[in-house]
Amino acid sequence: MKVNGHIQLYPLLRISVMLILGIFVGSYLCHYVSGWIWIALTFSCLLAALLINNRPMWVSVLILSASFFYGEGIITFSIADNESNSIIERKKEHEAVVLGQPEKKDKTAACELLLLTQDKSLTIKCLFIVDESNKSALNLHAGDGVIVRSKIRKEGYTFVNNDEWKPAVVNVSHLSLLTRTKILALEFRDNLLRKFFDNEKQAEELIVAALALGNKAAISGETRHSYSIAGISHVLALSGLHLGIIYTLIMLLFPKKRLRVISQCLVLLFIWGYVLLTGFSYSVVRSAIMLTIFGVLSVANRKGMSLNTLSFAVIIMLVFHPKSLWDVGFQLSFMAVLAILLFYQPIRAIFGEVSNRFLRYVADVISVSLAAQLGTFPLVLHYFGQFSNYFMLSNVIIIPVVYVILFLSLLMFCSYPVDWLFMFIKQILIDIVEWLNSLVVWISHLPGASIENVYVNVSQTFAIYILIGSVSILMYFFRKPLIR
């Protein structure tokens, strides 16, 4: 089929767009049309495409229609499944597995529980009520079995009083191999964190735990606010930034040209092991999928990161979890990557060729940061009503520090069996993070550090994206070097 225009170069982009539209429309029609009707329409379109494969235009139309109908089908089944499992009308006993050490919050201890029902497992947020006379819930750890007597609320959480739970030995043999492996990985992470934390958790320890293992539940609101105002709140949430850094650091251990297939397989195996260790959060899984595609394509000497790569990751995530479409982290993550793919080169071209190594680094970081902000700030304004004015300054200074912190964290966790080495690296990390926190607080207190309470509605958000697209076209055609 003859390529006509740039859009024809990105077939997965078109499929992902139609899948998204199908999921969006299906969320409104889910109570009126059976999911099986949408699946039947999907297969009908695919079958028709096979029968008329000599007509490329109609084949494309039918494949895109199948993507749309499939999106409607999977969201219909997902909503029906959630409605049938999210509410338990009365209190009853449940066997469950603790997925993380409870964090003390006022008069409750919050953690995730994996309920072991007869037909499937269900992850919920559990709030154990604690008081001065009974704090036993705080002694629970990942992998512990419990029996709780409670009512599961529609929002996916439950409150459990002191006399409504007890430790128990539970049978997890009926769970999938992936789920059992995830529980073992979370147990290992819990052991790492227990060895890492002192009796009284320091703010610096909490930052390292968030950066390296994704455990950010105990970070204070004040710390989160400082990082948000400084424009680097993304470093506290495991994402593509962290996995990309880890991928780069590990690749340095292997020769660039020899044993490429073996080295990529080992690195990707480590990456997915790390994803398992951090609890399989959606943001980390998204990044791991994209890195996997990047690694496979780089071995085949193909362009690793492209709109097709991003689109494929979107398709995989939405097929397995269509409700991710409404997840703020999902939206921010993919809009950031999309903006970097579209805007990084035009913005970087403004600076021209830079011979000085330091200035080249500054130009690269500013270009990536500005591109990512162009993709995400409309969503940030829509959801949070805040814009950080010093985000470029923060990223230029702090991204190299994050490299060092992640590198030392990997060394520290690899030295887990050697106590003195583990504690030595830990102290270095604490000193670095203490300096990092001081720098973040300083940036957050600069005059005009952020613009707050500027919320935009959905239509205004789309209008801003249209404006960004128009300006980016002008930048592309009228760019001039600023640095020689």
Side-chain angles (χ1 to χ4, degrees), residues 174-442:
H174 66 285
L175 298 177
S176 67
L177 177 61
L178 178 62
T179 302
R180 282 179 282 150
T181 306
K182 176 182 175 181
I183 292 172
L184 290 175
L186 291 175
E187 285 185 57
F188 180 63
R189 183 179 79 161
D190 205 27
N191 290 333
L192 286 175
L193 291 173
R194 272 186 282 167
K195 184 170 183 177
F196 179 71
F197 286 133
D198 292 328
N199 292 330
E200 292 293 331
K201 297 177 181 177
Q202 303 177 42
E204 293 77 17
E205 292 176 338
L206 296 173
I207 296 295
V208 174
L211 280 169
L213 293 175
N215 184 18
K216 61 176 184 175
I219 296 178
S220 68
E222 183 180 356
T223 300
R224 292 172 188 261
H225 186 62
S226 295
Y227 275 72
S228 177
I229 291 179
I232 55 166
S233 57
H234 55 281
V235 305
L236 296 179
L238 281 180
S239 62
L241 169 67
H242 303 74
L243 251 64
I245 291 174
I246 292 173
Y247 179 89
T248 302
L249 291 173
I250 300 174
M251 283 301 297
L252 294 175
L253 301 175
F254 297 95
K256 292 185 177 180
K257 295 184 179 180
R258 292 182 298 168
L259 305 174
R260 292 179 61 189
V261 175
I262 296 176
S263 62
Q264 283 289 348
C265 288
L266 291 174
V267 172
L268 292 176
L269 185 64
F270 182 91
I271 290 294
W272 280 102
Y274 181 76
V275 171
L276 198 62
L277 186 64
T278 57
F280 253 82
S281 65
Y282 292 124
S283 61
V284 183
V285 171
R286 288 193 296 268
S287 305
I289 291 173
M290 295 189 67
L291 279 176
T292 302
I293 300 170
F294 175 83
V296 171
L297 293 178
S298 65
V299 170
N301 292 318
R302 299 285 298 274
K303 184 179 179 182
M305 197 56 65
S306 68
L307 288 177
N308 275 330
T309 307
L310 177 64
S311 301
F312 184 72
V314 170
I315 292 168
I316 293 295
M317 289 298 299
L318 290 180
V319 165
F320 285 98
H321 197 271
K323 289 186 178 179
S324 294
L325 185 61
W326 287 272
D327 180 72
V328 178
F330 177 91
Q331 296 173 11
L332 289 172
S333 176
F334 278 111
M335 286 307 300
V337 177
L338 176 63
I340 290 171
L341 290 172
L342 293 177
F343 301 144
Y344 169 75
Q345 291 295 342
I347 295 173
R348 181 63 181 84
I350 295 174
F351 295 92
E353 292 294 328
V354 184
S355 56
N356 183 280
R357 195 170 182 178
F358 174 74
L359 290 179
R360 186 165 61 249
Y361 160 77
V362 172
D364 289 342
V365 174
I366 288 177
S367 300
V368 171
S369 300
L370 187 56
Q373 283 290 338
L374 284 172
T376 58
F377 91 86
L379 288 174
V380 172
L381 291 180
H382 175 65
Y383 288 113
F384 309 110
Q386 176 181 294
F387 181 80
S388 303
N389 294 322
Y390 297 120
F391 68 91
M392 284 193 290
L393 170 65
S394 302
N395 281 278
V396 168
I397 298 174
I398 289 169
I399 294 302
V401 181
V402 175
Y403 266 90
V404 175
I405 291 173
L406 284 175
F407 174 71
L408 290 176
S409 298
L410 289 176
L411 282 181
M412 180 181 67
F413 293 133
C414 289
S415 66
Y416 175 75
V418 186
D419 287 342
W420 69 268
L421 184 58
F422 185 94
M423 300 308 295
F424 175 73
I425 299 175
K426 172 188 171 180
Q427 188 54 53
I428 297 176
L429 274 170
I430 295 301
D431 293 338
I432 294 174
V433 174
E434 186 176 2
W435 175 82
L436 173 65
N437 283 344
S438 300
L439 180 62
V440 170
V441 170
W442 175 73

Side-chain angles (χ1 to χ4, degrees), residues 422-477:
F422 185 94
M423 300 308 295
F424 175 73
I425 299 175
K426 172 188 171 180
Q427 188 54 53
I428 297 176
L429 274 170
I430 295 301
D431 293 338
I432 294 174
V433 174
E434 186 176 2
W435 175 82
L436 173 65
N437 283 344
S438 300
L439 180 62
V440 170
V441 170
W442 175 73
I443 293 175
S444 68
H445 283 84
L446 289 174
S450 69
I451 301 172
E452 300 189 12
N453 298 318
V454 187
Y455 291 92
V456 296
N457 58 34
V458 174
S459 59
Q460 290 170 331
T461 302
F462 278 108
I464 294 173
Y465 277 120
I466 293 172
L467 177 63
I468 291 172
S470 303
V471 172
S472 68
I473 293 173
L474 293 176
M475 289 178 61
Y476 181 79
F477 287 107

Side-chain angles (χ1 to χ4, degrees), residues 126-152:
C126 180
L127 300 172
F128 291 99
I129 307 299
V130 296
D131 52 38
E132 293 301 324
S133 62
N134 192 338
K135 297 182 179 180
S136 56
L138 295 174
N139 297 322
L140 291 171
H141 300 289
D144 288 348
V146 293
I147 294 178
V148 297
R149 180 176 175 79
S150 65
K151 173 183 176 181
I152 312 302

Side-chain angles (χ1 to χ4, degrees), residues 95-97 116 143-147 166-172:
E95 287 189 344
V97 177
L116 307 176
D144 288 348
V146 293
I147 294 178
K166 60 183 178 181
V169 177
V170 297
N171 181 19
V172 297

Side-chain angles (χ1 to χ4, degrees), residues 49-162:
L50 288 174
L51 295 175
I52 58 170
N53 57 8
N54 59 336
R55 298 183 180 182
M57 187 185 72
W58 283 106
V59 169
S60 296
V61 170
L62 288 168
I63 290 175
L64 294 179
S65 299
S67 303
F68 178 80
F69 293 139
Y70 187 70
E72 292 191 292
I74 58 176
I75 191 62
T76 300
F77 285 124
S78 178
I79 292 175
D81 182 65
N82 183 70
E83 289 178 348
S84 65
N85 289 287
S86 61
I87 305 175
I88 296 176
E89 294 294 342
R90 57 185 177 80
K91 283 191 176 183
K92 60 179 293 188
E93 286 193 348
H94 310 275
E95 287 189 344
V97 177
V98 179
L99 297 182
Q101 185 174 9
E103 294 289 344
K104 181 75 164 64
K105 294 182 178 181
D106 298 326
K107 296 182 179 181
T108 64
C111 71
E112 284 193 335
L113 291 183
L114 181 69
L115 296 186
L116 307 176
T117 59
Q118 291 182 352
D119 53 345
K120 61 168 61 178
S121 57
L122 177 66
T123 301
I124 64 167
K125 184 176 182 180
C126 180
L127 300 172
F128 291 99
I129 307 299
V130 296
D131 52 38
E132 293 301 324
S133 62
N134 192 338
K135 297 182 179 180
S136 56
L138 295 174
N139 297 322
L140 291 171
H141 300 289
D144 288 348
V146 293
I147 294 178
V148 297
R149 180 176 175 79
S150 65
K151 173 183 176 181
I152 312 302
R153 316 242 174 200
K154 182 178 181 180
E155 296 80 6
Y157 71 93
T158 185
F159 287 95
V160 179
N161 292 314
N162 285 326

